[in-house]
Amino acid sequence: MNIKLLHKKLSDNTESAWDALANEAMILDYRKRRRHELFILTCYINLDLVEKYVDFLSETIRITDVNVLFNFAEIYKNGIIDTHCKLKEIEKNLMSRKINFKYNLLKNGNYLSHAKGYALIQKSKEEITDGITLITSANFTTLGFKGVNLEIGYISRKRNDIKSFLKNYNFLTEKIGVDIEAKILNDDKYLLQFA
């Protein structure tokens, strides 16, 4: 078990979540020959960091898929339409690089979906061959993920931990995931009805 304080400048022994996950990726076997999927599960998100982090990781490993789950309330920060447009822009930019992009929103009644976890999963012929998971207090924001805030995290390369993360990620996507496009259609219908 590897529990770390995550901060970019607290001491020589600390690093940001951004760097911690990337540094672990450096030791994945056959880095350039395998398929790597990035998973981002967060409450709060800075969408501008998604492509920046993919660019950063792509310096050492081949990313083929990016999967993002974040709290539903985040769409109201910049507005539903602007958030949707930003997600579509990210999707287009990543697709131009042959990287698949999937995103979903987490909505659990009136409760905040506060989970935070990240994974780089290496696959060969759809089988998990290696990977890293980071379970942390850090949101995918400049303050949290890039190391301005003091956070804590558990980093693991154990196959059971990676499989467990993926199982929980998929469960959240299927059980409380909400499609932003459906939300826009519902809002448009509501606005038309009462306009």
Side-chain angles (χ1 to χ4, degrees):
M1 177 157 44
N2 191 357
I3 296 176
K4 301 176 94 170
L5 286 176
L6 300 170
H7 188 272
K8 64 180 178 181
K9 294 182 183 176
L10 185 64
S11 76
D12 291 340
N13 297 327
T14 61
E15 60 190 345
S16 65
W18 173 287
D19 289 326
L21 193 59
N23 289 338
E24 287 289 324
M26 296 287 289
I27 57 176
L28 290 173
D29 292 333
Y30 305 105
R31 291 186 301 233
K32 304 240 185 241
R33 291 189 249 165
R34 305 276 177 120
R35 183 176 142 198
H36 297 82
E37 295 184 35
L38 172 64
F39 291 85
I40 298 169
L41 169 62
T42 188
C43 178
Y44 305 120
I45 190 166
N46 178 340
L47 290 173
D48 291 329
L49 290 183
V50 174
E51 286 181 79
K52 290 176 185 174
Y53 199 54
V54 170
D55 290 341
F56 183 69
L57 291 171
S58 294
E59 291 175 12
T60 54
I61 61 172
R62 182 174 161 250
I63 303 289
T64 60
D65 296 84
V66 176
N67 304 280
V68 177
L69 275 173
F70 60 95
N71 187 60
F72 185 83
E74 285 291 275
I75 65 173
Y76 296 112
K77 190 165 40 177
N78 294 317
I80 298 170
I81 302 298
D82 287 345
T83 302
H84 183 254
C85 289
K86 180 63 178 175
L87 289 164
K88 286 299 186 185
E89 176 188 337
I90 294 167
E91 181 177 46
K92 179 183 170 195
N93 293 342
L94 291 177
M95 284 303 293
S96 72
R97 297 167 53 192
K98 298 186 178 10
I99 298 172
N100 299 313
F101 181 61
K102 294 180 189 166
Y103 54 88
N104 218 320
L105 311 170
L106 294 172
K107 185 166 173 51
N108 189 19
N110 294 324
Y111 300 101
L112 184 66
S113 296
H114 207 250
K116 277 110 32 197
Y118 309 92
L120 269 170
I121 299 177
Q122 187 182 70
K123 292 183 178 178
S124 180
K125 298 178 183 174
E126 295 305 314
E127 292 294 318
I128 295 173
T129 57
D130 205 351
I132 305 132
T133 186
L134 169 62
I135 307 304
T136 178
S137 59
N139 283 300
F140 197 75
T141 61
T142 301
L143 294 175
F145 200 72
K146 289 200 82 175
V148 178
N149 292 346
L150 176 61
E151 307 283 357
I152 196 165
Y154 166 68
I155 298 175
S156 175
R157 292 191 61 211
K158 295 177 185 173
R159 190 141 322 151
N160 282 344
D161 289 345
I162 295 161
K163 286 181 178 179
S164 181
F165 173 87
L166 189 56
K167 179 181 174 184
N168 284 298
Y169 188 97
N170 290 335
F171 174 84
L172 290 172
T173 301
E174 293 166 15
K175 295 297 181 188
I176 63 171
V178 176
D179 183 5
I180 190 172
E181 291 172 15
K183 175 66 177 152
I184 290 170
L185 288 174
N186 282 344
D187 281 2
D188 285 349
K189 185 176 168 183
Y190 177 82
L191 289 171
L192 283 173
Q193 185 177 8
F194 292 99

